[in-house]
Amino acid sequence: MQEIREKCRLIAEVAPKRIVISKSAERNGAYRRIEVERKGAGYQAAAYTDKQVFHENIAADCLQQYLVDTVPGAWLQVNGWTDSQEHMLLVSKKGKVTYKVKNISGGQGKPGATGGCAAPDLSAPHNRKKNYLIEEGIAIAPLVDMGIFTAEGRVVKSMYDKFRQINRFLEIIEDGVRDYPKDELHIIDFGCGKSYLTFVLYYYFTEIKKRRVWIVGLDLKEDVIQNCNAAAEKYGYENLHFEVGDISGYQTDQPVDMVVTLHACDTATDYALFHAAMWNAKLIFSVPCCQHELNRQIETEDYALLTRYGIVKERFSALATDAVRANLLAYCGYKTQLLEFVDFAHTPKNLLIRAVKKEGIAPPPVRNNYLREVERMMKEFHFEPTLYRLLAGAGRIKN
C-alpha cells in the first residue's frame, strides 16, 4: 500500500489537468470509475455508479490527500494527464505496482486529454440584476490575475459560477461583521493555499468596507507563500502578508479578531477552530474539507444502516463532523450557523461554519446541552473528534 500511496503523490505533484481512476479492486465497489478534472483553482471529482454521478470539489492542495485516501486497496489503475505527459499507475491483482510516464505528442487530441485551450467566450452579456458586493466594471487586480475578470473588469463567461461563489462568500462575511463594533480587524487565514479568497477578502475590507485590516495567511508550502507575498506587494496590499507554518503549532502574541479557514484538510480545520476558540476570536468562518476522521472511527450497532453503505457512511460522517464542530463552538459561547456556501448541484460538500462570539448569548444550561448532545453521539458511534479532544485537553470542556 505504501508504494501505491507514493505513486499517487507523484501523480498529484505534476498538477494534472485530468485524472481517471478505474478498474475497481472490489467486486461490489460503490463506483465504476472516478474522473477528476481541474476546475478553476482546484479540482472536481465525478464518481460514477451505473445510474448516477456524484460530484465533490477538491482544493488543489488537497488533491494528493484525496488520491492517497481513495486509490490504495480500492482501485487498480490511475491515469493522469498534463499538457505534455500521461502518468499511469497500474496495480495487478497480485499487488504488483507499475508506474509509467508517456510523452504526449502535441499535448492535445489524445484520449482523455481535456483540451481547454480555446479562448473563453466573453461576448455574451450578463443580464442578471442581482446586486453583488463585487460588481463588474472595475478591474480588480487579483480577480484579473485569477482569470475571473478581464482587463476591463468584465466577468469571463466561463468563470461566472466562480464569480457568484466569491460574492456568496463575501455575503456570508458581510452578515457576520455587520454588527461588529471595531473598525480594525486582525485576521488569520489558516491553510491559505494560493490565497485567491484571501486577496478578495483584503480588497473587500479595505476598498468596500473601508476598514483597516491586518491579514496573515498561513500555509505549509514555501513556494506558495513566496508567490503570495510577491502578489501582495504587487497589489500594494501593505497589511497582508503570508507565513510558512503548521496550523496545529501556530502561535501569535497579536490579538486575533477573525479566523478564516477555507478547505483546510480533515483535522486541520479542528486545529484552526481550536485556536480561534482559545484566542476568543470574535468571528470564525470555516469551509471544511476532506472530513475523514469520523469515517475512520464510527461504529454502531443500533444505527448500522448509517455505516453499512459506503457512500451513506461517508456523507453521514462529513455532516456529523460539522454538526459536532458547530455544537462545540456553541458550547464555547459562539452563535453558530451552518450555511450553504456553494449550490448543492456543484458539490455535496457545500457547508460553511459561521460562528460569532457573543457573551451571554446562551445561559449555561443551554450551552451544556450542546456539549451533552456531542457526548451522547460520541458514545453511540464510538468516536472522539479532534476538536473535542483539544478543548478537553486545554480545560475548556468541564464535566
Side-chain angles (χ1 to χ4, degrees), residues 253-264:
D253 55 4
Q254 297 296 317
V256 178
D257 301 297
M258 179 191 298
V259 169
V260 177
T261 168
L262 305 176
H263 300 115

Side-chain angles (χ1 to χ4, degrees), residues 35-328:
E35 298 182 8
V36 181
E37 291 197 60
R38 190 183 298 169
K39 296 285 187 181
Y43 290 86
Q44 185 177 80
Y48 291 85
T49 68
D50 288 330
K51 297 181 179 180
Q52 293 178 288
V53 58
F54 298 92
H55 293 93
E56 175 181 350
N57 285 351
I58 305 166
D61 292 344
C62 295
L63 178 62
Q64 182 181 115
Q65 191 64 48
Y66 176 84
L67 294 178
V68 168
D69 289 342
T70 302
V71 175
W75 299 93
L76 301 179
Q77 182 167 338
V78 181
N79 297 71
W81 289 271
T82 67
D83 284 332
S84 59
Q85 292 180 321
E86 179 182 4
H87 291 249
M88 293 170 280
L89 167 60
L90 306 171
V91 183
S92 72
K93 292 184 178 180
K94 293 184 178 180
K96 180 182 177 182
V97 178
T98 304
Y99 188 82
K100 300 178 181 179
V101 179
K102 184 172 86 172
N103 291 328
I104 300 174
S105 176
Q108 299 295 332
K110 296 295 180 181
T114 59
C117 289
D121 179 7
L122 306 179
S123 60
H126 304 300
N127 54 11
R128 300 168 177 82
K129 294 300 182 182
K130 177 176 172 61
N131 292 322
Y132 290 115
L133 289 171
I134 289 182
E135 294 279 5
E136 294 187 73
I138 301 176
I140 301 170
L143 294 181
V144 173
D145 287 349
M146 293 176 208
I148 296 172
F149 274 11
T150 68
E152 295 76 30
R154 293 176 58 197
V155 179
V156 175
K157 182 181 178 182
S158 62
M159 299 299 289
Y160 217 91
D161 283 344
K162 183 63 66 177
F163 173 69
R164 284 196 295 265
Q165 289 173 20
I166 288 172
N167 274 284
R168 172 59 178 155
F169 171 70
L170 293 180
E171 287 171 2
I172 293 172
I173 297 288
E174 172 95 354
D175 288 343
V177 303
R178 182 175 289 117
D179 298 326
Y180 192 65
K182 294 173 61 176
D183 291 328
E184 300 181 353
L185 285 167
H186 289 80
I187 302 170
I188 301 288
D189 184 354
F190 280 124
C192 60
K194 294 181 180 179
S195 304
Y196 299 118
L197 283 177
T198 318
F199 289 113
V200 173
L201 192 64
Y202 188 90
Y203 177 88
Y204 160 77
F205 275 118
T206 57
E207 299 298 327
I208 297 177
K209 301 302 293 181
K210 305 300 182 183
R211 288 185 186 232
R212 193 175 184 189
V213 295
W214 290 262
I215 301 181
V216 175
L218 188 76
D219 201 86
L220 289 171
K221 296 185 177 180
E222 291 187 19
D223 57 335
V224 171
I225 292 301
Q226 289 175 358
N227 292 335
C228 289
N229 277 320
E233 184 176 357
K234 170 186 172 183
Y235 303 143
Y237 292 175
E238 59 182 16
N239 291 334
L240 171 61
H241 73 277
F242 301 87
E243 301 176 5
V244 177
D246 189 339
I247 294 175
S248 62
Y250 183 78
Q251 295 181 352
T252 179
D253 55 4
Q254 297 296 317
V256 178
D257 301 297
M258 179 191 298
V259 169
V260 177
T261 168
L262 305 176
H263 300 115
C265 283
D266 203 11
T267 57
T269 293
D270 297 292
Y271 281 98
L273 297 179
F274 168 70
H275 285 310
M278 294 302 293
W279 292 330
N280 285 314
K282 303 303 182 185
L283 302 158
I284 302 172
F285 300 91
S286 175
V287 179
C289 180
C290 307
Q291 303 99 319
H292 297 310
E293 182 183 39
L294 265 62
N295 195 24
R296 294 189 292 264
Q297 294 183 25
I298 58 174
E299 296 178 0
T300 178
E301 294 181 3
D302 291 342
Y303 301 97
L305 80 165
L306 292 174
T307 59
R308 179 175 296 118
Y309 309 102
I311 190 169
V312 174
K313 181 182 179 184
E314 177 185 353
R315 293 188 181 182
F316 170 70
S317 298
L319 290 171
T321 297
D322 292 333
V324 165
R325 288 165 172 164
N327 258 36
L328 289 175

Side-chain angles (χ1 to χ4, degrees), residues 287-288 319 339-352:
V287 179
L319 290 171
L339 305 170
E340 187 177 68
F341 176 44
V342 181
D343 192 282
F344 193 83
H346 295 289
T347 171
K349 294 189 174 183
N350 65 340
L351 295 182
L352 182 145

Side-chain angles (χ1 to χ4, degrees), residues 7-39:
K7 302 309 181 188
C8 287
R9 293 188 181 101
L10 289 178
I11 291 176
E13 285 173 359
V14 301
K17 298 178 71 173
R18 184 168 185 255
I19 300 170
V20 174
I21 304 170
S22 58
K23 294 187 179 179
S24 175
E26 304 167 347
R27 175 170 296 190
N28 297 316
Y31 306 115
R32 291 189 294 109
R33 73 183 187 283
I34 300 174
E35 298 182 8
V36 181
E37 291 197 60
R38 190 183 298 169
K39 296 285 187 181

